[in-house]
mmCIF file of all heavy atoms in Angstrom:
data_model
loop_
_atom_site.group_PDB
_atom_site.id
_atom_site.type_symbol
_atom_site.label_atom_id
_atom_site.label_comp_id
_atom_site.label_asym_id
_atom_site.label_seq_id
_atom_site.Cartn_x
_atom_site.Cartn_y
_atom_site.Cartn_z
ATOM 1 N N THR Z 1 -13.552 58.953 6.145
ATOM 2 C CA THR Z 1 -14.665 59.791 5.860
ATOM 3 C C THR Z 1 -15.195 59.504 4.428
ATOM 4 O O THR Z 1 -14.494 58.864 3.642
ATOM 5 C CB THR Z 1 -14.251 61.300 5.909
ATOM 6 O OG1 THR Z 1 -13.324 61.545 4.915
ATOM 7 C CG2 THR Z 1 -13.722 61.622 7.314
ATOM 8 N N VAL Z 2 -16.335 60.022 4.095
ATOM 9 C CA VAL Z 2 -16.893 59.794 2.763
ATOM 10 C C VAL Z 2 -15.962 60.389 1.716
ATOM 11 O O VAL Z 2 -15.723 59.770 0.648
ATOM 12 C CB VAL Z 2 -18.290 60.469 2.646
ATOM 13 C CG1 VAL Z 2 -18.794 60.401 1.238
ATOM 14 C CG2 VAL Z 2 -19.290 59.748 3.564
ATOM 15 N N GLY Z 3 -15.347 61.549 1.968
ATOM 16 C CA GLY Z 3 -14.458 62.170 0.994
ATOM 17 C C GLY Z 3 -13.240 61.323 0.747
ATOM 18 O O GLY Z 3 -12.799 61.134 -0.377
ATOM 19 N N GLU Z 4 -12.660 60.750 1.818
ATOM 20 C CA GLU Z 4 -11.494 59.872 1.631
ATOM 21 C C GLU Z 4 -11.874 58.613 0.904
ATOM 22 O O GLU Z 4 -11.115 58.170 0.031
ATOM 23 C CB GLU Z 4 -10.959 59.481 3.036
ATOM 24 C CG GLU Z 4 -10.326 60.615 3.806
ATOM 25 C CD GLU Z 4 -10.019 60.215 5.238
ATOM 26 O OE1 GLU Z 4 -10.694 59.337 5.797
ATOM 27 O OE2 GLU Z 4 -9.110 60.787 5.781
ATOM 28 N N PHE Z 5 -13.030 58.091 1.191
ATOM 29 C CA PHE Z 5 -13.479 56.873 0.510
ATOM 30 C C PHE Z 5 -13.683 57.167 -0.986
ATOM 31 O O PHE Z 5 -13.242 56.369 -1.817
ATOM 32 C CB PHE Z 5 -14.803 56.408 1.138
ATOM 33 C CG PHE Z 5 -15.403 55.251 0.427
ATOM 34 C CD1 PHE Z 5 -14.802 54.036 0.475
ATOM 35 C CD2 PHE Z 5 -16.623 55.376 -0.243
ATOM 36 C CE1 PHE Z 5 -15.390 52.950 -0.204
ATOM 37 C CE2 PHE Z 5 -17.205 54.336 -0.897
ATOM 38 C CZ PHE Z 5 -16.566 53.088 -0.859
ATOM 39 N N LYS Z 6 -14.322 58.294 -1.351
ATOM 40 C CA LYS Z 6 -14.539 58.611 -2.746
ATOM 41 C C LYS Z 6 -13.221 58.831 -3.458
ATOM 42 O O LYS Z 6 -13.027 58.351 -4.583
ATOM 43 C CB LYS Z 6 -15.404 59.889 -2.874
ATOM 44 C CG LYS Z 6 -16.833 59.637 -2.559
ATOM 45 C CD LYS Z 6 -17.733 60.840 -2.507
ATOM 46 C CE LYS Z 6 -17.425 61.995 -3.330
ATOM 47 N NZ LYS Z 6 -18.422 63.087 -3.252
ATOM 48 N N ARG Z 7 -12.276 59.492 -2.824
ATOM 49 C CA ARG Z 7 -10.993 59.781 -3.436
ATOM 50 C C ARG Z 7 -10.189 58.500 -3.715
ATOM 51 O O ARG Z 7 -9.516 58.373 -4.734
ATOM 52 C CB ARG Z 7 -10.185 60.730 -2.536
ATOM 53 C CG ARG Z 7 -8.838 61.116 -3.087
ATOM 54 C CD ARG Z 7 -8.016 61.905 -2.141
ATOM 55 N NE ARG Z 7 -7.641 61.015 -0.984
ATOM 56 C CZ ARG Z 7 -7.564 61.360 0.259
ATOM 57 N NH1 ARG Z 7 -7.812 62.619 0.633
ATOM 58 N NH2 ARG Z 7 -7.206 60.517 1.180
ATOM 59 N N ASP Z 8 -10.194 57.593 -2.760
ATOM 60 C CA ASP Z 8 -9.370 56.387 -2.853
ATOM 61 C C ASP Z 8 -10.185 55.112 -3.071
ATOM 62 O O ASP Z 8 -9.818 54.022 -2.627
ATOM 63 C CB ASP Z 8 -8.588 56.230 -1.545
ATOM 64 C CG ASP Z 8 -7.706 57.428 -1.285
ATOM 65 O OD1 ASP Z 8 -7.193 58.039 -2.198
ATOM 66 O OD2 ASP Z 8 -7.524 57.749 -0.073
ATOM 67 N N PHE Z 9 -11.253 55.207 -3.815
ATOM 68 C CA PHE Z 9 -12.229 54.116 -3.947
ATOM 69 C C PHE Z 9 -11.512 52.780 -4.393
ATOM 70 O O PHE Z 9 -11.680 51.761 -3.766
ATOM 71 C CB PHE Z 9 -13.301 54.473 -4.945
ATOM 72 C CG PHE Z 9 -14.334 53.392 -5.128
ATOM 73 C CD1 PHE Z 9 -15.302 53.199 -4.150
ATOM 74 C CD2 PHE Z 9 -14.368 52.621 -6.278
ATOM 75 C CE1 PHE Z 9 -16.248 52.209 -4.325
ATOM 76 C CE2 PHE Z 9 -15.323 51.638 -6.459
ATOM 77 C CZ PHE Z 9 -16.248 51.428 -5.469
ATOM 78 N N SER Z 10 -10.749 52.840 -5.458
ATOM 79 C CA SER Z 10 -10.144 51.617 -5.978
ATOM 80 C C SER Z 10 -9.146 51.041 -4.989
ATOM 81 O O SER Z 10 -9.117 49.791 -4.765
ATOM 82 C CB SER Z 10 -9.412 51.887 -7.281
ATOM 83 O OG SER Z 10 -10.290 52.294 -8.283
ATOM 84 N N ALA Z 11 -8.356 51.881 -4.309
ATOM 85 C CA ALA Z 11 -7.399 51.402 -3.304
ATOM 86 C C ALA Z 11 -8.138 50.794 -2.137
ATOM 87 O O ALA Z 11 -7.679 49.786 -1.525
ATOM 88 C CB ALA Z 11 -6.486 52.546 -2.895
ATOM 89 N N VAL Z 12 -9.260 51.416 -1.760
ATOM 90 C CA VAL Z 12 -10.041 50.881 -0.620
ATOM 91 C C VAL Z 12 -10.572 49.519 -0.933
ATOM 92 O O VAL Z 12 -10.493 48.557 -0.126
ATOM 93 C CB VAL Z 12 -11.214 51.850 -0.274
ATOM 94 C CG1 VAL Z 12 -12.150 51.229 0.718
ATOM 95 C CG2 VAL Z 12 -10.665 53.158 0.281
ATOM 96 N N LEU Z 13 -11.077 49.332 -2.142
ATOM 97 C CA LEU Z 13 -11.581 47.977 -2.534
ATOM 98 C C LEU Z 13 -10.453 46.953 -2.528
ATOM 99 O O LEU Z 13 -10.727 45.768 -2.101
ATOM 100 C CB LEU Z 13 -12.239 48.017 -3.884
ATOM 101 C CG LEU Z 13 -13.580 48.775 -3.987
ATOM 102 C CD1 LEU Z 13 -14.145 48.693 -5.384
ATOM 103 C CD2 LEU Z 13 -14.568 48.205 -3.001
ATOM 104 N N LYS Z 14 -9.292 47.287 -2.908
ATOM 105 C CA LYS Z 14 -8.158 46.351 -2.919
ATOM 106 C C LYS Z 14 -7.793 45.976 -1.467
ATOM 107 O O LYS Z 14 -7.532 44.843 -1.148
ATOM 108 C CB LYS Z 14 -6.924 46.957 -3.612
ATOM 109 C CG LYS Z 14 -7.100 46.943 -5.095
ATOM 110 C CD LYS Z 14 -5.914 47.564 -5.788
ATOM 111 C CE LYS Z 14 -6.143 47.655 -7.267
ATOM 112 N NZ LYS Z 14 -5.059 48.250 -7.997
ATOM 113 N N ARG Z 15 -7.880 46.958 -0.538
ATOM 114 C CA ARG Z 15 -7.617 46.712 0.874
ATOM 115 C C ARG Z 15 -8.661 45.742 1.484
ATOM 116 O O ARG Z 15 -8.323 44.849 2.201
ATOM 117 C CB ARG Z 15 -7.575 47.997 1.693
ATOM 118 C CG ARG Z 15 -6.311 48.825 1.384
ATOM 119 C CD ARG Z 15 -6.392 50.215 1.892
ATOM 120 N NE ARG Z 15 -6.576 50.278 3.345
ATOM 121 C CZ ARG Z 15 -6.730 51.405 4.022
ATOM 122 N NH1 ARG Z 15 -6.736 52.580 3.390
ATOM 123 N NH2 ARG Z 15 -6.927 51.384 5.313
ATOM 124 N N VAL Z 16 -9.907 45.963 1.073
ATOM 125 C CA VAL Z 16 -10.974 45.075 1.514
ATOM 126 C C VAL Z 16 -10.800 43.663 0.993
ATOM 127 O O VAL Z 16 -10.948 42.672 1.698
ATOM 128 C CB VAL Z 16 -12.377 45.644 1.154
ATOM 129 C CG1 VAL Z 16 -13.496 44.622 1.470
ATOM 130 C CG2 VAL Z 16 -12.626 46.970 1.877
ATOM 131 N N GLN Z 17 -10.447 43.534 -0.323
ATOM 132 C CA GLN Z 17 -10.186 42.246 -0.882
ATOM 133 C C GLN Z 17 -9.027 41.530 -0.182
ATOM 134 O O GLN Z 17 -9.002 40.323 -0.074
ATOM 135 C CB GLN Z 17 -9.863 42.365 -2.387
ATOM 136 C CG GLN Z 17 -11.029 42.679 -3.230
ATOM 137 C CD GLN Z 17 -10.690 42.846 -4.679
ATOM 138 O OE1 GLN Z 17 -9.557 43.314 -4.987
ATOM 139 N NE2 GLN Z 17 -11.572 42.438 -5.569
ATOM 140 N N ALA Z 18 -8.060 42.293 0.323
ATOM 141 C CA ALA Z 18 -6.973 41.743 1.049
ATOM 142 C C ALA Z 18 -7.322 41.269 2.484
ATOM 143 O O ALA Z 18 -6.490 40.745 3.217
ATOM 144 C CB ALA Z 18 -5.785 42.725 1.113
ATOM 145 N N GLY Z 19 -8.562 41.530 2.923
ATOM 146 C CA GLY Z 19 -9.030 41.102 4.199
ATOM 147 C C GLY Z 19 -9.263 42.194 5.222
ATOM 148 O O GLY Z 19 -9.669 41.885 6.348
ATOM 149 N N GLU Z 20 -9.068 43.424 4.920
ATOM 150 C CA GLU Z 20 -9.241 44.506 5.912
ATOM 151 C C GLU Z 20 -10.694 44.989 5.934
ATOM 152 O O GLU Z 20 -11.375 44.977 4.926
ATOM 153 C CB GLU Z 20 -8.350 45.742 5.448
ATOM 154 C CG GLU Z 20 -8.326 46.828 6.440
ATOM 155 C CD GLU Z 20 -7.344 47.936 6.069
ATOM 156 O OE1 GLU Z 20 -6.510 47.733 5.136
ATOM 157 O OE2 GLU Z 20 -7.434 49.002 6.681
ATOM 158 N N GLU Z 21 -11.135 45.315 7.147
ATOM 159 C CA GLU Z 21 -12.475 45.882 7.294
ATOM 160 C C GLU Z 21 -12.349 47.399 7.396
ATOM 161 O O GLU Z 21 -11.497 47.933 8.106
ATOM 162 C CB GLU Z 21 -13.115 45.362 8.576
ATOM 163 C CG GLU Z 21 -13.455 43.881 8.529
ATOM 164 C CD GLU Z 21 -14.181 43.387 9.715
ATOM 165 O OE1 GLU Z 21 -14.593 44.234 10.588
ATOM 166 O OE2 GLU Z 21 -14.368 42.204 9.837
ATOM 167 N N ILE Z 22 -13.218 48.105 6.687
ATOM 168 C CA ILE Z 22 -13.167 49.570 6.643
ATOM 169 C C ILE Z 22 -14.542 50.155 6.922
ATOM 170 O O ILE Z 22 -15.551 49.744 6.326
ATOM 171 C CB ILE Z 22 -12.654 50.085 5.278
ATOM 172 C CG1 ILE Z 22 -11.245 49.575 5.073
ATOM 173 C CG2 ILE Z 22 -12.708 51.591 5.208
ATOM 174 C CD1 ILE Z 22 -10.590 49.919 3.752
ATOM 175 N N ALA Z 23 -14.612 51.091 7.865
ATOM 176 C CA ALA Z 23 -15.864 51.784 8.226
ATOM 177 C C ALA Z 23 -15.845 53.103 7.550
ATOM 178 O O ALA Z 23 -14.821 53.795 7.388
ATOM 179 C CB ALA Z 23 -15.959 51.921 9.729
ATOM 180 N N ILE Z 24 -17.025 53.605 7.132
ATOM 181 C CA ILE Z 24 -17.192 54.908 6.490
ATOM 182 C C ILE Z 24 -17.975 55.782 7.400
ATOM 183 O O ILE Z 24 -19.130 55.484 7.815
ATOM 184 C CB ILE Z 24 -17.869 54.772 5.126
ATOM 185 C CG1 ILE Z 24 -17.068 53.798 4.237
ATOM 186 C CG2 ILE Z 24 -18.060 56.135 4.462
ATOM 187 C CD1 ILE Z 24 -17.752 53.397 2.984
ATOM 188 N N SER Z 25 -17.413 56.959 7.737
ATOM 189 C CA SER Z 25 -18.111 57.887 8.640
ATOM 190 C C SER Z 25 -18.659 59.063 7.801
ATOM 191 O O SER Z 25 -18.173 59.397 6.719
ATOM 192 C CB SER Z 25 -17.151 58.425 9.683
ATOM 193 O OG SER Z 25 -16.104 59.148 9.092
ATOM 194 N N TYR Z 26 -19.694 59.713 8.372
ATOM 195 C CA TYR Z 26 -20.404 60.807 7.602
ATOM 196 C C TYR Z 26 -20.850 61.853 8.603
ATOM 197 O O TYR Z 26 -21.236 61.584 9.743
ATOM 198 C CB TYR Z 26 -21.582 60.177 6.898
ATOM 199 C CG TYR Z 26 -22.416 61.144 6.064
ATOM 200 C CD1 TYR Z 26 -21.934 61.679 4.906
ATOM 201 C CD2 TYR Z 26 -23.619 61.546 6.546
ATOM 202 C CE1 TYR Z 26 -22.673 62.575 4.143
ATOM 203 C CE2 TYR Z 26 -24.396 62.451 5.827
ATOM 204 C CZ TYR Z 26 -23.884 62.953 4.615
ATOM 205 O OH TYR Z 26 -24.627 63.822 3.883
ATOM 206 N N GLY Z 27 -20.836 63.071 8.138
ATOM 207 C CA GLY Z 27 -21.414 64.183 8.930
ATOM 208 C C GLY Z 27 -20.408 64.852 9.832
ATOM 209 O O GLY Z 27 -19.263 64.446 9.957
ATOM 210 N N LYS Z 28 -20.851 65.867 10.554
ATOM 211 C CA LYS Z 28 -20.039 66.619 11.466
ATOM 212 C C LYS Z 28 -19.582 65.783 12.635
ATOM 213 O O LYS Z 28 -18.454 65.942 13.142
ATOM 214 C CB LYS Z 28 -20.788 67.860 11.981
ATOM 215 C CG LYS Z 28 -20.984 68.895 10.932
ATOM 216 C CD LYS Z 28 -21.702 70.124 11.513
ATOM 217 C CE LYS Z 28 -21.984 71.143 10.457
ATOM 218 N NZ LYS Z 28 -22.659 72.310 10.978
ATOM 219 N N ASN Z 29 -20.448 64.888 13.097
ATOM 220 C CA ASN Z 29 -20.090 64.064 14.247
ATOM 221 C C ASN Z 29 -19.300 62.788 13.827
ATOM 222 O O ASN Z 29 -18.975 61.981 14.670
ATOM 223 C CB ASN Z 29 -21.305 63.728 15.100
ATOM 224 C CG ASN Z 29 -22.325 62.940 14.338
ATOM 225 O OD1 ASN Z 29 -22.170 62.691 13.122
ATOM 226 N ND2 ASN Z 29 -23.360 62.529 14.952
ATOM 227 N N LYS Z 30 -19.122 62.654 12.542
ATOM 228 C CA LYS Z 30 -18.352 61.520 11.977
ATOM 229 C C LYS Z 30 -18.958 60.156 12.467
ATOM 230 O O LYS Z 30 -18.164 59.264 12.824
ATOM 231 C CB LYS Z 30 -16.891 61.635 12.358
ATOM 232 C CG LYS Z 30 -16.277 62.915 11.910
ATOM 233 C CD LYS Z 30 -14.977 62.726 11.171
ATOM 234 C CE LYS Z 30 -14.245 64.019 10.901
ATOM 235 N NZ LYS Z 30 -14.572 64.619 9.645
ATOM 236 N N ALA Z 31 -20.222 60.040 12.390
ATOM 237 C CA ALA Z 31 -20.866 58.783 12.763
ATOM 238 C C ALA Z 31 -20.652 57.747 11.680
ATOM 239 O O ALA Z 31 -20.728 57.991 10.481
ATOM 240 C CB ALA Z 31 -22.391 59.005 12.923
ATOM 241 N N ILE Z 32 -20.378 56.531 12.108
ATOM 242 C CA ILE Z 32 -20.140 55.442 11.168
ATOM 243 C C ILE Z 32 -21.496 55.042 10.589
ATOM 244 O O ILE Z 32 -22.427 54.722 11.282
ATOM 245 C CB ILE Z 32 -19.485 54.231 11.841
ATOM 246 C CG1 ILE Z 32 -18.079 54.650 12.288
ATOM 247 C CG2 ILE Z 32 -19.442 53.037 10.918
ATOM 248 C CD1 ILE Z 32 -17.375 53.561 13.072
#
């Protein structure tokens, strides 16, 4: 979710650099 992404921004970027793909969802229906 956007909240998780904001909270863990630096860790998320490290995961992406390591090769992982991450989707960010938003809103009540959690649309990507």
Side-chain angles (χ1 to χ4, degrees):
T1 64
V2 173
E4 292 170 332
F5 176 68
K6 286 173 29 177
R7 181 188 68 216
D8 301 327
F9 182 75
S10 295
V12 170
L13 289 182
K14 287 180 183 177
R15 288 168 59 184
V16 171
Q17 285 178 328
E20 187 175 348
E21 292 185 8
I22 298 178
I24 302 170
S25 64
Y26 180 73
K28 291 181 182 179
N29 61 355
K30 304 229 189 267
I32 294 175

